[in-house]
């Protein structure tokens, strides 16, 4: 496929994604106007979705770029969250009450250390060994946090976590959204630069054929370790932000279901696609939060249309089960009709200069 064809397909995918986002945004604005939704709730949900976008970006570095199967997303999310909570909260068993900056720095250092610790014995082996080890790591970290009460407060959790930038002339919901938007923008620009660099090209070679990369003289172990550590650090940053958003953390936030949702988000958006990570993370949050209003929507629709049978039909539906059903249907639809994801990488893997040089001959040919 030529550069021009790739760019055309990318534009078509972008247009479809923009149309879908516009529909969702229009529905949210309509619900705001009708008073069904409140602005603080919308801002908070967007900020929470931003944390999931960071998680998706972190996994995308590991799986999308390098082909590393990491099933410990929730673990690194928890490491970031607990690093901040233990160092900054007055209710922490440590009682340090440090500035949130130290919490973020600690989250980065601890997550990188744990990633190296698990990567050393597994990254030289087949991919499934990392999958098994990371799955075990997630459960070990959750159990340690739940059982070591003297260090982590155990199942009681940690509350009174300080808010971020309380002195800004914004509501706290708007401040949180601004902070996560800056984090996403910085991570996106960093990853796009790295993805198009020689480092990113070697990672894609490792993902498709590691033996070829070794034959070219590349130290694949070091490169895989770098990708694994980078992705884990991004996940920890997401957890560190989340705990300032939620102001409370306990072991139930580290459930394996979080890892499952993030994997779905990566596949949905498009493997190795930074734009797809943003779309996938926000789509999963839209499903999880949107289904909360399902009973209210059914009741409103039934009253408006005068169809009480509609209310009786959906009366016994469990919202939690509905969420899993919708996510499952979404996976089936994407695999069936868009196996590369809603926003596959395509042109974003190509350096801008190559795009311009590739597009110029096509334009000249069309004009003749």
């Amino acid at each position: 496929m030529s550069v021009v064809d790739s760019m055309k397909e990318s534009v078509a995918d972008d247009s479809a994604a923009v149309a879908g986002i516009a529909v969702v945004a229009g529905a949210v604005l309509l619900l705001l106007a009708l008073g069904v939704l409140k602005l603080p709730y919308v801002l908070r949900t967007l900020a929470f979705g931003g944390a999931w976008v960071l998680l998706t970006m972190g996994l995308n570095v590991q799986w999308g770029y390098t082909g590393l199967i990491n099933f410990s997303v929730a673990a690194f999310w928890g490491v970031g969250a607990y690093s901040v909570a233990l160092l900054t909260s007055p209710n922490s068993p440590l009682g340090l009450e440090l500035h949130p900056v130290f919490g973020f720095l600690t989250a980065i250092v601890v997550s990188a250390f744990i990633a190296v610790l698990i990567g050393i014995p597994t990254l030289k082996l087949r991919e499934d060994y990392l999958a098994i080890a990371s799955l075990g790591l997630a459960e070990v970290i959750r159990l340690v946090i739940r059982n070591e009460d003297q260090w982590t407060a155990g199942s009681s959790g940690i509350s009174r976590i300080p808010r971020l930038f309380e002195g800004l002339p914004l509501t706290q919901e708007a401040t949180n959204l601004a902070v996560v938007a800056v984090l996403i923008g910085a991570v996106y620009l960093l990853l796009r630069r790295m993805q198009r660099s020689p480092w990113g090209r070697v990672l894609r070679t490792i993902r498709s054929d590691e033996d070829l990369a070794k034959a070219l003289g590349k130290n694949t172990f070091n490169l895989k370790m770098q990708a694994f550590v980078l992705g884990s650090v991004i996940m920890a940053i997401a957890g560190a932000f989340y705990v300032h958003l939620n102001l409370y953390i306990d072991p139930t936030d580290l459930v394996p279901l979080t890892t499952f949702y993030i994997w779905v988000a990566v596949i949905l958006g498009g493997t190795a696609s930074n734009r797809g990570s943003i779309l996938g993370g926000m789509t999963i949050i839209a499903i999880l939060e949107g289904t909360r209003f399902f009973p209210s929507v059914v009741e409103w629709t039934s009253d408006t249309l005068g169809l009480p049978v509609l209310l009786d039909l959906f009366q016994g539906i469990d919202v939690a089960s509905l969420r899993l059903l919708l996510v499952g249907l979404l996976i089936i639809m994407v695999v069936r009709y868009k196996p590369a994801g809603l926003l596959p990488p395509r042109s974003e893997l190509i350096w801008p200069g190559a795009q311009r040089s590739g597009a110029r001959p096509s334009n000249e040919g069309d004009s003749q």
Side-chain angles (χ1 to χ4, degrees):
M1 180 184 293
S2 68
V3 174
V4 177
D5 292 336
S6 178
M7 291 175 63
K8 287 180 179 179
E9 289 192 21
S10 180
V11 169
D13 290 331
D14 289 347
S15 300
V18 169
I21 293 172
V23 171
V24 174
V28 171
L29 291 175
L30 178 60
L31 293 175
L32 282 171
L34 294 174
V36 177
L37 295 179
K38 302 298 181 183
L39 184 59
Y41 172 78
V42 173
L43 295 178
R44 178 181 172 82
T45 301
L46 288 174
F48 182 56
W52 278 49
V53 167
L54 289 173
L55 280 175
T56 308
M57 286 181 164
L59 181 59
N60 195 41
V61 173
Q62 297 169 344
W63 166 247
Y65 293 5
T66 324
L68 302 177
I69 305 175
N70 178 16
F71 289 142
S72 59
V73 175
F76 288 105
W77 161 275
V79 166
Y82 268 91
S83 296
V84 168
L86 290 172
L87 293 181
T88 63
S89 171
N91 282 358
S92 164
L94 304 183
L96 298 176
E97 298 186 46
L98 300 179
H99 192 276
V101 170
F102 293 99
F104 273 87
L105 292 177
T106 302
I108 292 172
V109 173
V110 173
S111 61
F113 174 76
I114 293 177
V116 171
L117 200 62
I118 191 175
I120 288 174
T122 59
L123 293 181
K124 288 184 178 180
L125 305 174
R126 296 198 312 266
E127 292 84 354
D128 48 354
Y129 285 94
L130 175 60
I132 296 170
S134 61
L135 189 62
L137 171 69
E139 190 63 13
V140 166
I141 289 180
R142 188 182 68 83
L143 292 176
V144 167
I145 290 175
R146 191 182 70 179
N147 295 320
E148 296 298 327
D149 298 7
Q150 71 276 20
W151 298 106
T152 64
S155 57
S156 299
I158 303 174
S159 58
R160 296 183 62 191
I161 298 164
R163 300 178 185 272
L164 291 173
F165 303 109
E166 290 187 280
L168 292 181
L170 297 170
T171 64
Q172 191 57 48
E173 290 79 9
T175 299
N176 291 334
L177 182 58
V179 170
V180 77
V182 170
L183 289 174
I184 291 173
V187 171
Y188 177 85
L189 293 176
L190 172 67
L191 294 184
R192 187 175 71 165
R193 180 76 179 183
M194 296 179 73
Q195 190 180 32
R196 291 170 167 175
S197 69
W199 181 82
R201 292 195 290 272
V202 173
L203 288 186
R204 293 196 296 277
T205 302
I206 292 174
R207 188 183 194 281
S208 58
D209 192 340
E210 185 175 352
D211 291 334
L212 174 60
K214 289 179 179 179
L216 294 173
K218 304 300 180 182
N219 190 330
T220 58
F221 173 77
N222 284 347
L223 289 165
K224 289 194 293 184
M225 180 67 78
Q226 292 166 17
F228 188 64
V229 170
L230 176 60
S232 301
V233 166
I234 295 173
M235 295 174 188
I237 291 174
F241 168 77
Y242 165 76
V243 84
H244 283 295
L245 172 67
N246 200 50
L247 307 181
Y248 175 79
I249 186 73
D250 66 35
T252 60
D253 288 314
L254 280 64
V255 293
L257 191 59
T258 300
T259 298
F260 166 74
Y261 282 141
I262 299 305
W263 270 93
V264 173
V266 171
I267 297 170
L268 170 66
T271 300
S273 171
N274 297 320
R275 300 168 303 142
S277 296
I278 297 175
L279 178 63
M282 282 299 184
T283 301
I284 296 299
I285 287 297
I287 292 175
L288 297 181
E289 292 299 319
T291 49
R292 294 181 187 274
F293 302 95
F294 181 76
S296 300
V297 171
V298 171
E299 183 177 358
W300 179 81
T301 305
S302 176
D303 293 341
T304 303
L305 299 178
L307 297 174
V309 67
L310 187 64
L311 186 60
D312 296 336
L313 181 63
F314 291 98
Q315 189 74 36
I317 290 183
D318 180 39
V319 173
S321 301
L322 181 65
R323 293 174 182 176
L324 292 175
L325 173 64
L326 291 178
V327 171
L329 288 175
L330 191 60
I331 296 173
I332 294 173
M333 296 295 290
V334 170
V335 171
R336 175 64 179 83
Y337 297 105
K338 298 283 289 185
L342 298 178
L343 285 179
R346 289 186 182 137
S347 63
E348 72 180 51
L349 299 178
I350 305 170
W351 195 253
Q355 293 182 357
R356 290 191 295 269
S357 63
R360 189 176 301 114
S362 177
N363 292 336
E364 291 175 359
D366 291 341
S367 62
Q368 292 177 354

